[in-house]
Amino acid sequence: MSGLMFAAAAGLPLAAGWSVHALRLARRIEAARRDPLTGLWTRDAFEARAAQSLSKGQQRAVLVLDLNWFKEINDTHGHAAGDAVIRATGMRLGVWAAGHHGVAGRLGGDEFAAVVDVCGEADTVTGNVSAKVLELIGSLERPVPFEGRDIDVFVSVGAARYWRGTADLSALLRQADEHMYRAKREGGGASIAPYFERTPALPTVHGRRYGRPGTTGKEVA
């Protein structure tokens, strides 16, 4: 064996070792960006992917959703039951978003978000968003089995339309959050913004609706 061939053969185990190490490192990095309970992207990872999704398409819907009466689930059935509901909600949302060429994430607590494709002409997009949101609610509001009993689940969903660069992700999430809160005040279901509203309908703190976790004041959602 020539010296060159010997050196190449000797380097094979080292190269293989580095490849395995790089693969393990990549998996650890991705795992750190996933919510351990639901498997969805965490807030920062979701926002990065959602912003990329908006940059590649002309028509998108940005959704924010929140579980109704989640505290009562924890108080009545225990925190393990609450975790089961969060897990099921995240998995159902992830499957639904993937089916609509989108991305989903858990923003924290019982709050989730998604960005999905919508199709059609400008005057039919709202109807398409409505159909998708109703489909999503039907999927999420199926009872969650837990220790031999079914736990009822109810959600509030807010949706904002993205149309050819009308706004950035932060503004769209803010508007979707406002409509989610509107739906929640009305007992649940969905509220869809018919067009982008540049001026916040509700007071904000650091770009977030006043009263949400992370802002000052009483938490209202």
Side-chain angles (χ1 to χ4, degrees):
M1 179 181 295
S2 69
L4 181 59
M5 293 177 63
F6 178 81
L12 286 176
L14 181 60
W18 276 110
S19 296
V20 171
H21 175 72
L23 180 60
R24 288 176 177 171
L25 181 60
R27 288 176 176 173
R28 288 177 181 175
I29 291 173
E30 177 163 338
R33 294 173 178 168
R34 294 280 187 177
D35 172 57
L37 186 59
T38 65
L40 295 179
W41 297 111
T42 57
R43 177 186 288 270
D44 289 345
F46 164 75
E47 290 183 352
R49 285 160 177 77
Q52 186 178 33
S53 175
L54 294 183
S55 70
K56 291 182 177 180
Q58 293 186 339
Q59 299 180 55
R60 296 286 191 272
V62 177
L63 286 72
V64 171
L65 62 102
D66 190 278
L67 294 175
N68 297 336
W69 308 296
F70 181 68
K71 182 178 183 300
E72 284 76 3
I73 293 176
N74 282 328
D75 292 345
T76 303
H77 303 287
H79 288 279
D83 285 348
V85 170
I86 291 291
R87 184 183 301 109
T89 300
M91 293 177 64
R92 292 168 179 176
L93 175 62
V95 170
W96 177 84
H100 292 283
H101 309 288
V103 59
R106 182 185 179 191
L107 302 184
D110 60 328
E111 184 182 38
F112 302 83
V115 174
V116 296
D117 285 349
V118 289
C119 307
E121 299 298 326
D123 58 349
T124 65
V125 168
T126 298
N128 289 333
V129 174
S130 298
K132 290 179 185 293
V133 171
L134 289 176
E135 176 189 313
L136 173 61
I137 291 175
S139 173
L140 297 182
E141 290 194 340
R142 289 180 286 124
V144 174
F146 178 75
E147 295 185 348
R149 60 180 180 263
D150 288 340
I151 301 175
D152 292 330
V153 178
F154 302 96
V155 299
S156 295
V157 181
R161 287 169 39 187
Y162 171 84
W163 178 260
R164 293 181 179 175
T166 50
D168 61 15
L169 178 65
S170 178
L172 291 163
L173 284 171
R174 182 265 303 164
Q175 185 175 34
D177 176 68
E178 290 179 349
H179 279 265
M180 181 276 293
Y181 182 51
R182 181 178 299 173
K184 183 177 285 287
R185 286 185 300 179
E186 294 174 357
S191 177
I192 300 170
Y195 51 85
F196 178 67
E197 301 153 343
R198 295 192 178 277
T199 303
L202 299 170
T204 60
V205 177
H206 304 304
R208 305 191 69 203
R209 175 169 49 81
Y210 180 80
R212 293 205 60 73
T215 66
T216 58
K218 182 179 180 182
E219 186 175 324
V220 294

